[in-house]
Amino acid sequence: LTLVEGETLVLNDAVLAPGASISGLVTRASDGAPLDLVRIRAYDAAGVQVRALIGNADGTYTLAGIPPGPVRIRFNRSGHATEFWDDRVDYASADILTLAPGDELTGFDAQLASGGAVYGRVRDTLGNGIGGVVVTAYDPAGVFLNSATSQSDGNYGFGQMNTTSIKVFFNASNTPFESEWYDDQPDLASADLVPVTAGGSVNGVDAMLAPRGIEVLSPNGGEVWSSGRIHPVTWSASPTC
């Protein structure tokens, strides 16, 4: 809309379609006790999160205002295995709920087991630990599961994993190093799968990151400078520089 000074523009009213809602109860699988602080998320058919909330202290939740259409529901809580409804380990295998405007669905419960954990270390090519790398677990479809940031010695760890296979990305964008997927792969499609078991742990999911570099094309050309290193530069008035 383009307005000029002093102009009053009257717009037509907007009519919003009613959203759907999904309610349920989240409990601990081992003894049936209700779980508080559970984060419940709804994803659309493209894997995009459309609604999210944190459940009540008594384990109940109502996820409201969900756009109509197919959705998948995800449950996660610290110390417990993340799962999708209905007792599925990842987005690809999750049951699909097709919602109509105004739907109010109840009884969508979840029982969360103790979570599995993944540990590793991020190092440079000299074996030194790299801190500040965000290590993220995705399911094979590329849906986020969990993440952690490597410590100054390069060590990291995260839990809340169900029995499944994950792909791990080492995001080093805030460091002088290149990012990569496990194990030394360039993208999600080629990344190695890491099997995880709920209640267990996987060690040694490590990464050795190469320093980012720039290639100098002139005046001599062919030099490759690594990020984080100091290189002397001499400026010349010569038109060839």
Side-chain angles (χ1 to χ4, degrees):
L1 301 176
T2 302
L3 301 177
V4 298
E5 184 177 354
E7 180 181 8
T8 299
L9 182 64
V10 179
L11 300 175
N12 294 327
D13 296 337
V15 179
L16 303 180
S21 68
I22 296 174
S23 301
L25 173 68
V26 186
T27 56
R28 189 164 50 215
S30 59
D31 59 7
L35 288 174
D36 63 354
L37 301 177
V38 178
R39 182 169 290 276
I40 301 99
R41 297 178 172 92
Y43 294 89
D44 65 14
V48 176
Q49 178 181 301
V50 292
R51 283 293 183 274
L53 60 74
I54 295 176
N56 301 317
D58 61 359
T60 61
Y61 74 92
T62 297
L63 194 60
I66 306 173
V71 298
R72 294 170 170 90
I73 307 300
R74 177 178 176 237
F75 306 88
N76 76 282
R77 185 188 188 277
S78 176
H80 294 75
T82 297
E83 70 173 50
F84 285 78
W85 197 85
D86 182 22
D87 197 26
R88 308 298 186 186
V89 299
D90 55 30
Y91 175 88
S93 63
D95 289 24
I96 299 174
L97 308 177
T98 301
L99 306 179
D103 274 352
E104 296 180 357
L105 307 184
T106 61
F108 286 82
D109 303 336
Q111 299 79 39
L112 303 186
S114 297
V118 175
Y119 301 98
R121 187 171 184 234
V122 188
R123 297 173 295 162
D124 63 19
T125 53
L126 299 177
N128 302 307
I130 305 172
V133 176
V134 179
V135 186
T136 305
Y138 294 90
D139 73 13
V143 175
F144 170 89
L145 295 176
N146 207 344
S147 68
T149 301
S150 64
Q151 302 171 17
S152 58
D153 60 2
N155 289 310
Y156 77 90
F158 51 75
Q160 301 176 223
M161 305 306 301
N162 213 318
T163 300
T164 185
S165 292
I166 63 173
K167 297 194 173 189
V168 181
F169 180 55
F170 299 89
N171 185 348
S173 59
N174 292 324
T175 76
F177 297 89
E178 299 282 0
S179 301
E180 68 175 45
W181 291 81
Y182 184 82
D183 183 15
D184 196 26
Q185 301 297 328
D187 52 37
L188 173 69
S190 60
D192 290 17
L193 288 169
V194 179
V196 183
T197 302
S201 63
V202 179
N203 298 291
V205 184
D206 302 336
M208 182 175 291
L209 305 184
R212 290 201 301 268
I214 58 172
E215 182 177 358
V216 180
L217 300 179
S218 64
N220 299 320
E223 300 93 341
V224 176
W225 294 350
S226 297
S227 177
R229 307 292 195 271
I230 297 176
H231 301 273
V233 177
T234 301
W235 295 98
S236 169
S238 169
T240 60
C241 291

